[in-house]
Amino acid sequence: LRGDGALTVIVIDVSPSMGTSDEGPLADALDRVRALASAMGPRDRVAIFAAGEAPRRVLAPTDEPSRVRAALAESAPESRAVLASTLTLARALADDETNARVVLFHDGGAQVETTDVLEERFGATDRPNVGLTLFAARPARDAANDDEREVLIAVAAAGDQPRRVRVRRFAGEGELGARERVVPPGEAADARFRL
């Protein structure tokens, strides 16, 4: 923020690899937005988009720091992020202004065109992306009763090396099971649980 009346359009990656609003790269990105809100001058304006399962405008352009901070509660993690489409919307908003810039807060897991976008990366930059791609429950085939379910969790990995992952399933404070899988690069691996 330069105090020159510019509009700063922030795009926040809310994919699984960003963690949660309490821990991980997403928490760090939200802290950064809070710091920007505290540094806003009277002529600065901020708009926020969340790049999740679908592009979503979280905050229309505002010059009120309290509205910027309040909008961060809507930046919850989602199952995936469509960064390119969200950046297209953010660029369109910025193009309507004479003094605007787009800033992308992400962990570098997705490859997107950022030639006209400022980037801030959070988390380990040399870490290949790993994310949850499917969580589904269905009646078990050989169920003893109607309450018994089979839970399927799929995990995918980017990069050029296999990744070893541990999938842990919890209910409340109790762990219901864990599975270790080796995920081939660019592919997914399944973990199944009985519930």
Short mmCIF file of all heavy atoms in Angstrom, two decimals, residues 83 87 102-108 110 112-122:
data_model
loop_
_atom_site.label_atom_id
_atom_site.label_comp_id
_atom_site.label_asym_id
_atom_site.label_seq_id
_atom_site.Cartn_x
_atom_site.Cartn_y
_atom_site.Cartn_z
N LEU A 83 -7.28 -20.90 -9.52
CA LEU A 83 -6.55 -19.64 -9.47
C LEU A 83 -6.68 -18.82 -10.75
O LEU A 83 -6.87 -17.61 -10.70
CB LEU A 83 -5.07 -19.90 -9.18
CG LEU A 83 -4.70 -20.23 -7.74
CD1 LEU A 83 -3.22 -20.57 -7.65
CD2 LEU A 83 -5.03 -19.08 -6.83
N LEU A 87 -8.00 -15.03 -10.87
CA LEU A 87 -7.12 -13.95 -11.30
C LEU A 87 -7.74 -13.16 -12.46
O LEU A 87 -7.58 -11.94 -12.55
CB LEU A 87 -5.75 -14.49 -11.69
CG LEU A 87 -4.85 -14.88 -10.52
CD1 LEU A 87 -3.62 -15.62 -11.02
CD2 LEU A 87 -4.45 -13.66 -9.70
N VAL A 102 -2.95 -6.12 -8.72
CA VAL A 102 -3.46 -7.40 -8.23
C VAL A 102 -2.31 -8.09 -7.50
O VAL A 102 -1.19 -8.16 -8.00
CB VAL A 102 -3.96 -8.28 -9.39
CG1 VAL A 102 -4.41 -9.65 -8.87
CG2 VAL A 102 -5.10 -7.59 -10.13
N VAL A 103 -2.61 -8.61 -6.30
CA VAL A 103 -1.61 -9.33 -5.51
C VAL A 103 -2.16 -10.73 -5.23
O VAL A 103 -3.29 -10.87 -4.75
CB VAL A 103 -1.33 -8.61 -4.17
CG1 VAL A 103 -0.26 -9.35 -3.39
CG2 VAL A 103 -0.91 -7.17 -4.41
N LEU A 104 -1.36 -11.75 -5.52
CA LEU A 104 -1.74 -13.14 -5.28
C LEU A 104 -1.00 -13.68 -4.07
O LEU A 104 0.22 -13.65 -4.02
CB LEU A 104 -1.40 -13.99 -6.52
CG LEU A 104 -1.55 -15.51 -6.37
CD1 LEU A 104 -3.00 -15.90 -6.06
CD2 LEU A 104 -1.06 -16.21 -7.63
N PHE A 105 -1.76 -14.16 -3.08
CA PHE A 105 -1.19 -14.82 -1.90
C PHE A 105 -1.42 -16.31 -2.09
O PHE A 105 -2.57 -16.78 -2.09
CB PHE A 105 -1.89 -14.35 -0.62
CG PHE A 105 -1.59 -12.93 -0.21
CD1 PHE A 105 -2.28 -12.35 0.82
CD2 PHE A 105 -0.62 -12.19 -0.85
CE1 PHE A 105 -2.01 -11.04 1.22
CE2 PHE A 105 -0.33 -10.89 -0.46
CZ PHE A 105 -1.03 -10.32 0.58
N HIS A 106 -0.32 -17.07 -2.23
CA HIS A 106 -0.45 -18.53 -2.44
C HIS A 106 0.81 -19.23 -1.98
O HIS A 106 1.76 -18.61 -1.49
CB HIS A 106 -0.76 -18.83 -3.91
CG HIS A 106 0.37 -18.50 -4.86
ND1 HIS A 106 0.81 -19.37 -5.82
CD2 HIS A 106 1.13 -17.40 -5.01
CE1 HIS A 106 1.78 -18.83 -6.51
NE2 HIS A 106 2.00 -17.63 -6.04
N ASP A 107 0.80 -20.57 -2.11
CA ASP A 107 1.95 -21.35 -1.68
C ASP A 107 2.78 -21.85 -2.86
O ASP A 107 3.72 -22.62 -2.68
CB ASP A 107 1.52 -22.53 -0.80
CG ASP A 107 0.62 -23.53 -1.52
OD1 ASP A 107 0.19 -23.24 -2.66
OD2 ASP A 107 0.35 -24.59 -0.95
N GLY A 108 2.44 -21.44 -4.07
CA GLY A 108 3.21 -21.83 -5.25
C GLY A 108 2.87 -23.20 -5.78
O GLY A 108 3.55 -23.69 -6.67
N ALA A 110 0.25 -24.22 -7.56
CA ALA A 110 -0.35 -24.21 -8.90
C ALA A 110 0.44 -23.30 -9.82
O ALA A 110 0.95 -22.26 -9.39
CB ALA A 110 -1.81 -23.75 -8.82
N VAL A 112 0.31 -20.67 -12.57
CA VAL A 112 -0.60 -19.71 -13.21
C VAL A 112 0.21 -18.57 -13.80
O VAL A 112 1.34 -18.33 -13.39
CB VAL A 112 -1.63 -19.15 -12.20
CG1 VAL A 112 -2.63 -20.21 -11.80
CG2 VAL A 112 -0.96 -18.54 -10.99
N GLU A 113 -0.38 -17.89 -14.76
CA GLU A 113 0.26 -16.75 -15.40
C GLU A 113 0.22 -15.56 -14.45
O GLU A 113 -0.84 -15.10 -14.06
CB GLU A 113 -0.46 -16.42 -16.71
CG GLU A 113 0.13 -15.24 -17.44
CD GLU A 113 1.59 -15.43 -17.79
OE1 GLU A 113 1.96 -16.50 -18.29
OE2 GLU A 113 2.37 -14.48 -17.55
N THR A 114 1.40 -15.08 -14.06
CA THR A 114 1.47 -13.99 -13.08
C THR A 114 2.30 -12.82 -13.58
O THR A 114 2.86 -12.07 -12.79
CB THR A 114 2.06 -14.50 -11.75
OG1 THR A 114 3.37 -15.04 -11.99
CG2 THR A 114 1.18 -15.55 -11.11
N THR A 115 2.36 -12.61 -14.90
CA THR A 115 3.22 -11.55 -15.42
C THR A 115 2.78 -10.17 -14.96
O THR A 115 3.61 -9.29 -14.76
CB THR A 115 3.24 -11.58 -16.96
OG1 THR A 115 1.90 -11.55 -17.45
CG2 THR A 115 3.94 -12.82 -17.47
N ASP A 116 1.47 -9.94 -14.80
CA ASP A 116 1.00 -8.63 -14.37
C ASP A 116 0.46 -8.65 -12.95
O ASP A 116 -0.32 -7.80 -12.55
CB ASP A 116 -0.09 -8.13 -15.32
CG ASP A 116 -1.27 -9.08 -15.42
OD1 ASP A 116 -1.12 -10.26 -15.01
OD2 ASP A 116 -2.34 -8.67 -15.89
N VAL A 117 0.91 -9.63 -12.16
CA VAL A 117 0.42 -9.83 -10.80
C VAL A 117 1.61 -9.84 -9.84
O VAL A 117 2.63 -10.46 -10.12
CB VAL A 117 -0.35 -11.17 -10.69
CG1 VAL A 117 -0.73 -11.48 -9.25
CG2 VAL A 117 -1.58 -11.16 -11.57
N LEU A 118 1.46 -9.16 -8.72
CA LEU A 118 2.46 -9.25 -7.65
C LEU A 118 2.18 -10.54 -6.88
O LEU A 118 1.02 -10.89 -6.67
CB LEU A 118 2.36 -8.05 -6.72
CG LEU A 118 2.58 -6.68 -7.36
CD1 LEU A 118 2.21 -5.58 -6.38
CD2 LEU A 118 4.02 -6.53 -7.80
N GLU A 119 3.22 -11.23 -6.47
CA GLU A 119 3.03 -12.48 -5.74
C GLU A 119 3.66 -12.41 -4.36
O GLU A 119 4.73 -11.83 -4.19
CB GLU A 119 3.73 -13.64 -6.46
CG GLU A 119 3.08 -14.12 -7.70
CD GLU A 119 3.82 -15.34 -8.24
OE1 GLU A 119 3.53 -16.45 -7.80
OE2 GLU A 119 4.73 -15.14 -9.08
N GLU A 120 2.98 -13.02 -3.40
CA GLU A 120 3.59 -13.30 -2.11
C GLU A 120 3.34 -14.77 -1.85
O GLU A 120 2.20 -15.22 -1.85
CB GLU A 120 3.00 -12.43 -1.01
CG GLU A 120 3.45 -11.00 -1.09
CD GLU A 120 3.31 -10.25 0.22
OE1 GLU A 120 3.49 -10.87 1.29
OE2 GLU A 120 3.01 -9.06 0.17
N ARG A 121 4.43 -15.51 -1.64
CA ARG A 121 4.32 -16.95 -1.40
C ARG A 121 4.49 -17.23 0.08
O ARG A 121 5.32 -16.63 0.75
CB ARG A 121 5.35 -17.72 -2.21
CG ARG A 121 5.04 -17.64 -3.69
CD ARG A 121 5.88 -18.61 -4.46
NE ARG A 121 5.57 -18.50 -5.87
CZ ARG A 121 5.86 -19.41 -6.76
NH1 ARG A 121 6.48 -20.51 -6.39
NH2 ARG A 121 5.54 -19.23 -8.02
N PHE A 122 3.68 -18.16 0.55
CA PHE A 122 3.71 -18.56 1.95
C PHE A 122 3.96 -20.05 2.02
O PHE A 122 3.51 -20.81 1.18
CB PHE A 122 2.38 -18.20 2.63
CG PHE A 122 2.10 -16.73 2.62
CD1 PHE A 122 1.45 -16.13 1.56
CD2 PHE A 122 2.51 -15.93 3.67
CE1 PHE A 122 1.20 -14.77 1.54
CE2 PHE A 122 2.28 -14.57 3.67
CZ PHE A 122 1.62 -13.99 2.60
#
